[in-house]
Amino acid sequence: MRTQRQVVDYSLRKRAVLRELLAGRVGTYDVCDASPYLKNAARFHGEPTDERCPICRSENLIHVHYIYGDELKQSAGQARTLAELPVLAMTLREFQVFVVEVCLGCDWNHLVEQYLLGRDGLAEGGSEGDAVVGDVSGTVRRRREAQR
């Protein structure tokens, strides 16, 4: 998405958790503790991936996208499909997205990444937003000159 910014990747944290699990310092029940709400969000709003679960290795992981932001009001904290995010990004100034991977087989879940989306990202770049405004105003001027 072109307005995606301030991306935080949690892959190093995931590797550390898996290393702790393999070393026996953490139990499977400590890392495979997905709540029923998270599992339902994965079923109905999740995006299937090609990546196998690192714990059970029998099912593919599902990514769930949770959104948070002041402009969302009552919608804050809801899971959304990946297809809904670009529409929201063009509608709202700024909101945060948290991506959680979930295994429906063994209840593994882990925060994958977080990032900001929204129209404010277009203003930072300057060129994309200005080009659209320039094209629109140029079209309006050309139409006015043609009418004269």
Side-chain angles (χ1 to χ4, degrees):
M1 277 173 248
R2 66 182 187 176
T3 65
Q4 186 175 353
R5 59 200 181 278
Q6 296 184 9
V7 178
V8 180
D9 182 42
Y10 292 96
S11 59
L12 290 175
R13 182 68 190 133
K14 177 182 173 181
R15 288 191 343 203
V17 168
L18 292 172
R19 192 172 43 249
E20 294 289 314
L21 180 69
L22 291 173
R25 292 186 284 269
V26 176
T28 306
Y29 293 111
D30 294 327
V31 295
C32 295
D33 59 351
S35 73
Y37 297 113
L38 178 57
K39 290 167 58 175
N40 279 337
R43 277 189 198 95
F44 298 111
H45 303 286
E47 304 292 330
T49 67
D50 292 332
E51 187 181 349
R52 287 280 185 195
C53 174
I55 307 299
C56 69
R57 300 191 193 284
S58 63
E59 295 201 26
N60 288 351
L61 295 172
I62 299 173
H63 284 176
V64 181
H65 299 80
Y66 285 101
I67 57 172
Y68 293 91
D70 293 337
E71 287 182 273
L72 292 167
K73 298 186 179 23
Q74 295 89 356
S75 297
Q78 290 183 351
R80 297 296 178 111
T81 62
L82 195 57
E84 292 175 292
L85 294 180
V87 175
L88 287 170
M90 298 314 294
T91 306
L92 302 171
R93 284 186 48 229
E94 183 176 271
F95 63 96
Q96 197 151 18
V97 179
F98 291 86
V99 183
V100 179
E101 66 181 17
V102 182
C103 175
L104 295 176
C106 69
D107 294 347
W108 159 263
N109 63 96
H110 196 273
L111 180 63
V112 176
E113 69 178 347
Q114 76 181 60
Y115 52 88
L116 288 177
L117 283 179
R119 288 189 326 255
D120 282 356
L122 294 176
E124 289 175 7
S127 62
E128 287 179 340
D130 293 342
V132 171
V133 172
D135 288 344
V136 171
S137 63
T139 304
V140 171
R141 269 192 231 117
R142 278 185 238 125
R143 284 184 189 159
R144 285 185 188 154
E145 290 173 3
Q147 288 175 351
R148 290 183 193 167

